[in-house]
Amino acid sequence: MTRLGDLERAVMDVLWDSVPGTSGGSTVREVADALDGRELAYTTVMTVLDRLAGKGMVQREREGRAWRYRAAASREAHIARLMLDALDLGGSRDAALVRFARSVTGTEAEVLRAALGKQAAASASGGETLTDRVEAPTADRSGRAPVADEAADR
């Protein structure tokens, strides 16, 4: 399970909040500047980004002498992966899912019903299902493939 520390989460929030498709990612300096209220050394931010790249959380691309970093998966895909990993902690997955379903609000339940309805319809018609659409990052340490990004459905 890829849990993020406080600083890693802040760095990922900067990358996740950048407008997708309008840039090729962010440099270390741009990320450091975006971390408002934190007095961090450039090398600290560079180390965090390097570690996130090692964890598969960010992708980087060389631009001259610098690197450009971007999130390897959306925030939603990361959260979904954490939820699935939590289900693997033991006990009954079914019981955990039922308990979760009972704890969501009415609006959240409607979102889940709609997503499950789309999933069932796509499966029945032989079309692409939510689990068929997988983002680019590689499998995590457990060897499990990444989670589909449901944000595209909205």
Side-chain angles (χ1 to χ4, degrees), residues 4-138:
L4 301 177
D6 182 51
L7 185 52
E8 289 175 323
R9 176 63 190 248
V11 167
M12 287 305 300
D13 283 339
V14 168
L15 296 177
W16 281 323
D17 292 340
S18 66
V19 180
T22 60
S23 75
S26 301
T27 64
V28 174
R29 174 63 52 210
E30 291 167 343
V31 172
D33 290 346
L35 290 168
D36 295 330
R38 294 184 182 245
E39 296 296 322
L40 298 171
Y42 176 91
T43 53
T44 300
V45 177
M46 183 173 58
T47 299
V48 170
L49 284 164
D50 185 57
R51 287 183 178 162
L52 288 168
K55 291 179 178 183
M57 292 291 299
V58 299
Q59 296 172 334
R60 64 183 176 185
E61 191 173 302
R62 189 63 103 165
E63 184 179 272
R65 293 177 37 196
W67 290 99
R68 284 211 164 267
Y69 295 86
R70 73 180 137 287
S74 70
R75 180 183 279 125
E76 293 79 10
H78 174 68
I79 292 168
R81 171 58 49 215
L82 290 175
M83 292 169 69
L84 288 170
D85 287 346
L87 285 173
D88 288 340
L89 291 177
S92 168
R93 286 179 69 118
D94 291 348
L97 285 169
V98 168
R99 178 125 184 167
F100 175 77
R102 288 181 179 155
S103 70
V104 298
T105 66
T107 304
E108 293 165 338
E110 287 301 319
V111 170
L112 285 172
R113 270 190 214 94
L116 291 170
K118 283 183 184 179
Q119 176 81 9
S123 274
S125 69
E128 180 183 66
T129 65
L130 293 175
T131 55
D132 290 335
R133 272 185 289 112
V134 177
E135 288 197 7
T138 59

